[in-house]
């Protein structure tokens, strides 16, 4: 019984493999192995079949492992040897691949496929040897020039450094530099302290370590982890940025090693890359709190920690690295978040440092899995704040309040608890009245951040509004007035989009917004202060009157877009929030009228939409934003490499883009200003909602424009994955429909695009939507399948035994929906042309086949007639039996009439059918030869 089950599963796997379902085939072979194959030979077959699946799925490391298991069971298994050689070739281990191929040729000397593969591999090996030998002398010469003190600052030295970097970008070149004692030599370049040489060394090291775990570990061992991290802290911005890139490359290589079970690219075994990863993280944490480290170096360290520490997905159960960072480095992160910019004796920080620290703290807090872990986080934060608040006088109180602000911007639960600590809120209120500007700044900012938190809003509304108004009216410092204004804006927008909830008197909100726009346009004020004006507008633009005035103010829009492209990165979220409000791209559901009546009867508050938030007003605002250049500004924002560009910020931009492309007439403007290019990264990274919104915007662009012009070059292939993601059942019907329409356009362009769609496993989902009740979705899926039918793999699916794919197309060709009939009949015509064997199966799939074909031929639509005539012609040419069945029916009379009609594709196809029937001897021409 077990033997028969194993054999059945193996055959099932073979069928799935033939149909292109490689994951399904892999599962079947795995299940067969789990049942226990009877003989070693049977086990070898299953292992080599699994290797074939892994090759198709491009997982070459697993393909090699499975093929090796097959060879261990049966040393003469030539298929397993060949598959292992293919995997080894893809892994870059050409010499080992050649040994397997030589064994294949010795076992089957007449097999031409083995001979051709061996010749091709020999050519690759010779090319690699030639390249390696030619670069030997070049590498040595480049290092000699770079380390020669006599060549200082010469053009020769500059060219040598450029060549070294270019060489390291190629795998063979990187390996050559590494094996030529390159890392110690690069260390000498770093030690020179010359910016140009340090840049060359860092960029070359990045090439050596890129996607290579073992070389990364060896490099860290030679240079020392602490030495590499310390380069981040140098004053030169270019060198610090290059060091940041190198460390990111190292993190990626080490994380990949952890994920793959400690295997390097060339198969070398490393003791534990996880340990190296932790050492690297520990060094970055140490750097945060070190005096003498540059401000941009501290920002780069925070950015690296944000990317490296938290889990990539909540599905990953291991959050041990985040827990370790909280225990070992939380105080160091809080020290950066609590530092006051340009204050004597403080850590060097930029305007973006506190926001970066907030983001890191937020990500660490979100990475915690249980109440005990969160309680530990709260305890550590509160102890740190309390120690500064109670034991270090006024300076300590300022640092404690600044730290609370940092937490309120990040993990607000921790910030709320910190506000509850004895004396903190009272000190904030008291310091707002201080005569020293730096103390007022810290206190007012804390008040602003606290105003949006539910626990404190009522307290601040009661106690803080009068204080903020007083500061706004009486302070002679713009930096204080603008922050006080933002606090008032925040409190005044507490009603959100509900126009019936006004916190201030009529007209006050518009006056606040006008002052914010005035400060925003004042380029005499520094960017760090002007960004608070944007913060104020981000809150005030919940009000539709404010939105209307804002989009009319061209100077304010220009200033907003310029500020979004400045070095003041912390403004990005506020800019994105204001744009979301102006375009009404936040989530909004029309209330159920019955529920509204019920709420009124129960005397409950019913939110009211502002009259100027109706669709006609929103469309007008969108057009004004497009005319002002919003797409160019957003494109620059998307390119920003900063921790401030969080997943939430990316989601806001995705929402705005979707609003901008809502009208088909605006899509050309969005494409012309680079919107298509900007949407791709938004659709591939960020929150689920953000990725879905961006993917839907991509779908709209792909439907109405030429995809090859909208996404030039290789970008057109990157569009497919986001579009396929819209086919999942958790997406709306509109998103499903637009994705299908976009994929239909792409599938009609080239075979390479069709292959990409197949590789993304879209076909089963598209087939599922062919059964959808909604006629538009059903039609779009059928049109998409019609275009995909040009691919051999899809044709194989239709030709495979035991499926109803062909039957569905035949039946849809007889539906009432003309557009659905056109799509189905087109697919049927194409398939019967490319696969004649399908013609004989049409009569078998339904008893109504003749009626359906006759209806196509008699259709008033020329397109449907042509498709029907082509299907009939293909059937007649495929077999005499099919031709006889057609000629014995009313089809003969219909064809005779069509053949006499006006000259065109329909009459030609009909005449060809009759001619073939004459050739078979089924009918005879009349006296006129017709």
């Amino acid at each position: 019984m077990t033997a028969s089950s194993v054999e059945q599963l193996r055959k099932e796997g073979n069928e799935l493999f033939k149909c292109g379902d490689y994951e399904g085939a892999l599962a079947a072979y795995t299940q067969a192995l789990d049942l226990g194959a009877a003989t070693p030979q049977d086990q070898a077959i299953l292992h080599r079949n699994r290797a074939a699946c892994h090759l198709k799925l491009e997982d070459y490391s697993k393909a090699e492992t499975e093929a090796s298991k097959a060879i261990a069971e049966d040393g003469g298994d030539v298929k397993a040897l060949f598959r292992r050689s293919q995997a080894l070739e893809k892994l870059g281990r050409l010499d080992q691949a050649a040994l397997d191929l030589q064994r294949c040729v010795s076992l089957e000397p007449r097999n031409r496929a083995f001979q051709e593969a061996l010749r091709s591999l020999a050519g690759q090996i010779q090319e690699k040897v030639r390249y390696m030998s030619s670069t030997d002398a070049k590498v040595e010469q480049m290092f000699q020039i770079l380390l020669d003190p006599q060549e200082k600052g010469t053009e020769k030295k500059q060219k040598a450094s450029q060549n070294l970097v270019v060489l390291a970008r190629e795998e063979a070149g990187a390996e050559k530099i590494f094996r030529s004692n390159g890392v110690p030599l690069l260390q000498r370049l770093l030690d020179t302290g010359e910016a140009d040489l340090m840049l060359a060394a860092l960029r070359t090291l990045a090439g050596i370590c890129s996607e290579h775990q073992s070389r990364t570990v060896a490099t860290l061992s030679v240079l020392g982890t602490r030495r590499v991290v310390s380069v981040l802290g140098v004053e030169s911005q270019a060198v610090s940025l290059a060091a940041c890139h190198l460390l990111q490359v190292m993190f990626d290589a080490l994380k990949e090693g952890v994920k793959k079970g400690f295997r390097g690219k060339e198969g070398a075994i490393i003791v534990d890359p996880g340990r190296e990863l932790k050492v690297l993280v520990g060094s970055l944490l140490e750097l945060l709190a070190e005096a003498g480290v540059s401000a941009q170096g501290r920002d780069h360290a925070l950015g690296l920690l944000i990317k490296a520490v938290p889990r990539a997905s909540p599905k990953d159960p291991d959050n041990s690295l985040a827990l370790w960072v909280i225990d070992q480095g939380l105080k160091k992160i809080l020290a950066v978040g609590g530092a006051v910019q340009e204050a004597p004796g403080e850590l060097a920080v930029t305007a973006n440092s506190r926001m970066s620290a907030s983001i890191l703290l937020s990500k660490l807090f979100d990475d915690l899995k249980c109440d005990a872990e969160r309680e530990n986080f709260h305890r550590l934060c509160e102890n740190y704040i309390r120690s500064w608040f109670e034991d270090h006088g006024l300076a300590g109180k300022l640092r404690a309040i600044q730290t609370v602000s940092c937490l309120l911007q990040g993990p607000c639960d921790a910030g709320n608890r910190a506000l509850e600590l004895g004396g903190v809120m009272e000190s904030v209120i008291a310091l707002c009245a201080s005569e020293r500007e730096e103390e007022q700044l810290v206190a007012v900012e804390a008040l602003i951040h606290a105003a949006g938190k539910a626990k404190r809003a009522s307290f601040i509304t009661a106690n803080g509004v009068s204080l903020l108004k007083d500061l706004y009216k009486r302070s002679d410092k713009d930096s204080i007035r603008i922050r006080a204004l933002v606090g008032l804006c925040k409190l005044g927008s507490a009603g959100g989009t509900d126009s019936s909830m006004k916190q201030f008197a009529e007209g006050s909100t518009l006056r606040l917004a006008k002052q914010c726009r005035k400060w925003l346009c004042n380029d005499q004020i520094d960017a760090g202060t002007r960004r608070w004006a944007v913060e104020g507008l981000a809150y005030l633009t919940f009000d539709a009157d404010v939105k209307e005035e804002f989009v009319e103010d061209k100077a304010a829009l220009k200033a907003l877009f310029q500020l979004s492209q400045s070095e003041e990165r912390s403004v990005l979220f506020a800019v994105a929030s204001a744009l979301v409000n102006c375009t009404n791209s936040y989530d909004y559901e029309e209330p159920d009228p019955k529920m509204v009546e019920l709420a009124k009867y129960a005397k409950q508050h019913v939110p009211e939409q502002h009259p100027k938030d109706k669709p006609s007003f929103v469309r007008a605002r969108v057009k004004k934003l497009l005319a002002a250049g919003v797409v160019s500004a957003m494109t620059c924002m998307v390119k920003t490499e900063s921790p401030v560009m969080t997943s939430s910020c990316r989601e806001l931009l995705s929402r705005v883009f979707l609003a901008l492309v809502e009208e088909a007439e605006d899509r050309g403007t969005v494409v012309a200003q680079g919107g298509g290019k900007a949407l791709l990264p938004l659709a591939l990274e960020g929150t689920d909602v953000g990725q879905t919104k961006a993917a839907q915007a991509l779908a709209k662009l792909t439907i109405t424009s030429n995809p090859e012009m909208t996404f030039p070059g290789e970008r057109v292939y990157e569009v497919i994955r986001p579009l396929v993601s819209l086919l999942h059942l958790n997406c709306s019907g509109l998103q499903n429909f637009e994705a299908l329409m976009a994929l239909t356009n792409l599938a009609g362009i080239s075979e390479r695009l069709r292959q990409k769609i197949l590789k993304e496993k879209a076909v089963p989902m598209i087939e599922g939507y062919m059964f959808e009740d909604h006629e538009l979705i059903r039609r779009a899926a059928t049109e998409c399948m019609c275009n995909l039918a040009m691919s051999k793999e899809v044709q194989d699916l239709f030709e495979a035994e035991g499926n109803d794919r062909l039957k569905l197309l035949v039946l849809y060709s007889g539906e009432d929906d003309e557009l659905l009939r056109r799509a189905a009949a087109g697919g049927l015509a194409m398939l019967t042309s490319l696969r004649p064997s399908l013609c004989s199966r049409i009569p078998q799939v339904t008893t109504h086949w003749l009626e359906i074909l006759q209806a196509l031929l008699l259709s008033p639509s020329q397109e449907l007639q042509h498709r029907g005539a082509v299907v009939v012609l293909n059937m007649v040419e495929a077999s005499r039996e099919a031709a006889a069945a057609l000629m014995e029916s009313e089809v003969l009379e219909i064809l005779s009439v069509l053949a006499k009609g006006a000259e065109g594709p329909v009459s030609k196809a009909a005449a060809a059918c009759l001619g073939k029937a004459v050739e078979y001897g089924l009918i005879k021409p009349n006296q006129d030869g017709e």
Side-chain angles (χ1 to χ4, degrees), residues 836-912:
S837 61
L838 292 173
C839 296
S840 60
R841 288 169 54 182
I842 290 177
Q844 301 168 16
V845 296
T846 174
T847 56
H848 302 291
W849 68 280
L850 268 174
E851 297 168 33
I852 291 169
L853 291 177
Q854 288 169 15
L856 288 172
L857 293 170
L858 292 170
S859 171
S861 165
Q862 282 282 315
E863 289 190 27
L864 284 174
Q865 276 191 338
H866 183 224
R867 284 162 166 76
V870 171
V871 174
V872 171
L873 177 58
N874 292 337
M875 292 181 69
V876 168
E877 289 181 338
S879 72
R880 190 178 186 282
E881 291 75 12
L886 288 162
M887 295 305 130
E888 289 168 3
S889 69
E890 295 177 15
V891 170
L892 173 59
E893 186 179 342
I894 298 169
L895 289 173
S896 301
V897 174
L898 292 175
K900 293 175 184 177
E903 187 174 345
V906 176
S907 60
K908 285 181 181 178

Side-chain angles (χ1 to χ4, degrees), residues 703 727 733-745 747 765-767 769-772 774-788 812 817 819-821 823-824:
I703 291 168
L727 297 180
L734 177 61
Q735 290 166 343
N736 299 153
F737 171 71
E738 289 178 334
L740 289 165
M741 292 286 287
L743 289 169
T744 301
N745 274 4
M765 289 186 278
I766 295 168
E767 285 183 325
Y769 286 114
M770 289 176 72
F771 295 93
E772 179 67 38
H774 197 292
E775 62 179 19
L776 290 177
I777 296 177
R778 184 169 66 243
R779 182 197 306 158
T782 306
E783 288 173 350
C784 189
M785 187 58 70
C786 175
N787 282 356
L788 287 172
Y812 278 178
D817 181 352
L819 293 174
L820 177 61
R821 290 177 73 196

